[in-house]
Amino acid sequence: MLACANLSLGYPGKALCLDLKWGMRPGECWALLGQNGSGKTTLLHTLGGLRTPLAGVVTLDGKALYDYPRRDLARRVGVLLQHEDYGFWGSVTDYVLLGRHPHRRSPFGWSEEDRHIAEEALAQVDMSWLAGRPLDTLSGGERQRARLALLLTQQTGICLLDEPLQYLDVRHQVQTLELLRGLTDAGKAVMLSLHDVSWAARYCSHALLLHDDGTAESGKSEEVLTRARLEHLYRCAFEEVGGGVLLPRPADWRGSV
């Protein structure tokens, strides 16, 4: 179980989370929702052990994240970052194999098992036909799917994804969401930040809402993703378009709610 207690995040003059108490169990898929600048990325980085909170603690199975050796933590928690700050000049397969580093047994190359796992991950994201291409020749959407394959290759029980649908066309958005739901069906725990509320309602069992004043709400999606809560979260009006689907009303984009 990944959890946090009394967690506070922020920057000088900006509180992003205040005294957050939250937990995620195997088999759950969490949508992380909030306006730009509400702290979604900062929270995901903190839950993944990439950032130190201002206060509070993040625990994995009751043990503080900073008590885990980095390699052990990387075997258990995978993080898909929103941006990468480095270039990579190898092939797509070479890139996806980086996800095997926490499991690597030898410094002298990859095992057949590593390569098989990478091949399976590429097939899961519809990228097998691009396996030999240089990574830097891919489109934005293709590169995003390669990054998803790297995360899958890491084979962690917990996956934290920062805007995994960015750059993806509609078909691959659906494919990715189905894939992530399949991970939770297999007993993994998943959290992903999203901007599309309808995807969150359809594919995520739970939701965590980060408000711009540092407060948060969490629970099962059907209980949390209500019209009143979404209007308060995004400061715009929503309407039901059928089947319980809530969409923002464009005429109210200036935030009159």
Side-chain angles (χ1 to χ4, degrees):
M1 177 178 175
L2 184 67
C4 61
N6 308 114
L7 189 71
S8 292
L9 309 173
Y11 299 99
K14 174 64 175 177
L16 298 177
C17 281
L18 296 173
D19 198 31
L20 178 65
K21 299 176 181 67
W22 169 85
M24 178 170 67
R25 295 174 174 80
E28 294 178 349
C29 183
W30 282 79
L32 180 59
L33 304 176
Q35 295 186 55
N36 293 337
S38 61
K40 298 186 297 297
T41 293
T42 302
L43 177 59
L44 287 171
H45 287 188
T46 304
L47 294 175
L50 304 178
R51 182 183 175 88
T52 302
L54 297 178
V57 63
V58 179
T59 59
L60 177 60
D61 293 336
K63 180 179 176 180
L65 287 191
Y66 51 73
D67 287 336
Y68 284 89
R70 298 304 300 179
R71 186 175 184 183
D72 290 350
L73 186 60
R75 289 174 175 173
R76 302 191 63 182
V77 180
V79 183
L80 177 71
L81 302 176
Q82 187 179 151
H83 301 292
E84 295 175 354
D85 296 325
Y86 59 89
F88 186 84
W89 302 101
S91 71
V92 172
T93 295
D94 293 333
Y95 176 73
V96 171
L97 278 165
L98 295 178
R100 297 302 300 162
H101 265 296
H103 307 277
R104 195 169 185 173
R105 299 190 182 97
S106 169
F108 304 108
W110 304 107
S111 68
E112 286 302 313
E113 179 186 14
D114 292 330
R115 294 188 177 279
H116 177 68
I117 291 170
E119 289 172 2
E120 285 190 332
L122 284 168
Q124 285 180 285
V125 299
D126 192 24
M127 290 280 287
S128 297
W129 64 288
L130 292 170
R133 279 264 299 272
L135 184 76
D136 61 358
T137 67
L138 300 184
S139 70
E142 290 167 342
R143 188 181 180 97
Q144 182 72 348
R145 283 151 52 206
R147 297 173 69 232
L148 286 165
L150 186 155
L151 182 68
L152 294 173
T153 300
Q154 195 174 339
Q155 291 192 321
T156 57
I158 297 172
C159 297
L160 307 173
L161 302 96
D162 195 359
E163 296 194 27
L165 304 186
Q166 65 177 346
Y167 309 124
L168 299 184
D169 57 48
V170 174
R171 177 169 72 91
H172 288 107
Q173 287 184 35
V174 173
Q175 180 190 64
T176 297
L177 291 166
E178 292 283 354
L179 176 60
L180 295 178
R181 185 160 64 181
L183 295 181
T184 60
D185 289 343
K188 295 180 183 290
V190 174
M191 171 176 267
L192 62 155
S193 62
L194 292 169
H195 287 295
D196 191 321
V197 174
S198 62
W199 282 147
R202 178 170 294 184
Y203 283 97
C204 299
S205 59
H206 294 72
L208 174 61
L209 313 184
L210 295 184
H211 296 283
D212 56 10
D213 62 357
T215 62
E217 297 178 273
S218 64
K220 292 183 178 180
S221 293
E222 62 267 24
E223 298 171 355
V224 174
L225 300 181
T226 65
R227 177 176 176 177
R229 285 191 170 96
L230 292 174
E231 289 183 338
H232 179 64
L233 180 70
Y234 290 110
R235 300 298 178 184
C236 69
F238 278 74
E239 62 183 347
E240 185 173 330
V241 296
V245 176
L246 291 167
L247 294 176
R249 288 210 305 265
D252 297 281
W253 69 273
R254 294 183 186 276
S256 59
V257 174

